[in-house]
Structures are given as C-alpha cells and as structure tokens.
Amino acid sequence: MDSKLDMFEDVNTSPSLEGDMSIPGKRTTTATSASGVPDYNTLDEPIRETVLRDIRAVGIKFYHVLYPKEKSSLLRDWDLWGPLVLCTFMATILQGSSSADNMSDNGPEFAQVFVIVWIGAAVVTLNSKLLGGNISFFQSVCVLGYCLTPVAISLIVCRVILLATQTRLLFFLRFVTTTMGFAWATYASFVFLGQSQPPHRKPLAVYPIFLFFFIISWLVLSHN
C-alpha cells in the first residue's frame, strides 16, 4: 500500500507536460522589431494593406537602386516581384515583329529576352557563390533583377527617341543614354554585391556582372 502511495506522489510531483499553443513566428501589428521596423501579422490584416505594403516595399527597392547608398534592405528583404516586372516590361518592348511586312525589325523574341535575363542572373549568381560570396542565391538574383532599373529607364528614353526620324545625333543620344543606364546598373550591383565577395576575388565577381548588363544594354541600343 505504501508503494502505491509513493507512486501516486511521484506522479503528482513530476514535471508538467503543458505546452504553449501559440503559433511560432506569429507577430502582432503593434509589436516592433529590434531594428525599429514594425512587425505585421499578415494573417489578420486586410488583403488591401498586405498588397499596398508589398508595393511600397518594391518601390523602396527601386529607390535604393537609383540611389545606391543603403545596402542592407535589398539583401535582407529580398523578393522577385520587381525583377519579374522589369523583365516582362523589357521583353515586351524589345521583342521583334513577327509579321512578314516588317522583316527589318530583327529584335529578339519575348522568350529570348526572358531567358537572357534569368539565365544570365543565375550564371552570375553561381559564379559569385563559387568565388566564396556570403550571399544566398535568391538575394543575388533579386539584386541583379532590381539593378535592371537604369537599363529599363534608358530603354524607355530610347523608345521615345525612335519615334522621330533617325539621324546621327539621335543615335548618339541613344548611345549616351544606354551607356549611362549600363554604367549605373553595373555600379549599383557592385555596391550591393561587392561587399559579399572576398577582397582578392572582387574583380572576378565584377566581370560577369559587367558582361550581364552589357549584353542587355546592347539589346536596348540595337533595338530599332
């Protein structure tokens, strides 16, 4: 009888097995992270707020590319929405005419531009990883995609110039505009990705970036 009582007391004094049913990673709209950025609970907030917040985040990344001073936001909060929009926009404008009446338009097809952008970004990212870069695959693709913004702007300007009768002066303006977009895109990419590479391997990492934006800029300049 005493042994049964001892067993009963042991059960009552054993550690509690109660668990916390809170959802891991759940955040409230009033909480603030250590970096000062408010945390959001996307499970409870309206869809409209979620969409607007994501659009604002994409716009902020575009701003950081055009004014590449703050380096962490594009790497920390990466996404592929901006690169997808830029790639679709550029492929739509650059695609050549498939009609038989306009055989002089030798522009690339939509799928070709898509493949050049995404496969090119993947190859540049793979090269960065093989050189010992401390950046994830999707972070690098995100940076390269967003850094197409200056090239896309130069494409818009060149498209407007093409509306007029072409002369040597207008071709020179297109050349200067495309060169500026290429240089700015390469510089912005180096600002964001250069710190992730070992110091003695930075030239090896910059060369594929240079070649990537050079090919896309050449498509912009040669588009007629």
Side-chain angles (χ1 to χ4, degrees):
M1 186 64 181
D2 293 339
S3 61
K4 291 182 178 181
L5 290 175
D6 293 339
M7 292 176 61
F8 182 75
E9 291 177 356
D10 292 339
V11 171
N12 288 336
T13 59
S14 62
S16 175
L17 298 178
E18 295 178 355
D20 186 5
M21 295 299 293
S22 60
I23 301 174
K26 184 176 181 181
R27 298 172 293 183
T28 61
T29 56
T30 58
T32 303
S33 63
S35 60
V37 179
D39 290 336
Y40 297 95
N41 184 358
T42 57
L43 296 177
D44 296 335
E45 70 178 0
I47 296 178
R48 179 174 176 273
E49 293 185 10
T50 302
V51 173
L52 291 178
R53 177 164 50 81
D54 291 341
I55 292 176
R56 284 193 296 268
V58 171
I60 291 174
K61 292 183 178 67
F62 281 131
Y63 170 77
H64 286 318
V65 169
L66 296 176
Y67 185 63
K69 182 179 180 181
E70 200 275 328
K71 306 176 183 179
S72 62
S73 62
L74 216 62
L75 300 178
R76 182 182 64 249
D77 304 322
W78 63 267
D79 66 79
L80 300 179
W81 288 113
L84 179 61
V85 171
L86 286 174
C87 181
T88 304
F89 170 76
M90 296 184 66
T92 302
I93 296 182
L94 289 174
Q95 66 177 342
S97 175
S98 59
S99 62
D101 298 333
N102 192 10
M103 297 302 294
S104 61
D105 187 356
N106 296 321
E109 296 297 331
F110 182 92
Q112 292 175 336
V113 178
F114 232 82
V115 169
I116 290 174
V117 171
W118 290 104
I119 299 300
V123 170
V124 173
T125 301
L126 181 61
N127 175 77
S128 175
K129 296 295 291 182
L130 292 177
L131 291 175
N134 55 356
I135 186 174
S136 71
F137 180 86
F138 288 107
Q139 283 177 328
S140 179
V141 172
C142 170
V143 170
L144 292 172
Y146 273 101
C147 287
L148 284 173
T149 304
V151 182
I153 294 176
S154 67
L155 174 60
I156 296 174
V157 175
C158 289
R159 186 66 176 178
V160 173
I161 295 176
L162 285 172
L163 296 177
T165 303
Q166 294 303 294
T167 61
R168 291 184 177 179
L169 176 61
L170 292 181
F171 175 80
F172 178 76
L173 290 177
R174 288 171 51 204
F175 175 79
V176 172
T177 302
T178 306
T179 302
M180 291 176 60
F182 159 72
W184 197 259
T186 305
Y187 169 74
S189 299
F190 180 75
V191 169
F192 291 110
L193 299 178
Q195 301 300 324
S196 65
Q197 297 296 325
H200 61 287
R201 294 183 177 180
K202 285 186 178 181
L204 296 176
V206 172
Y207 173 72
I209 296 175
F210 174 91
L211 190 61
F212 172 71
F213 288 111
F214 176 81
I215 293 175
I216 299 176
S217 298
W218 177 258
L219 294 177
V220 173
L221 182 62
S222 62
H223 176 62
N224 54 12

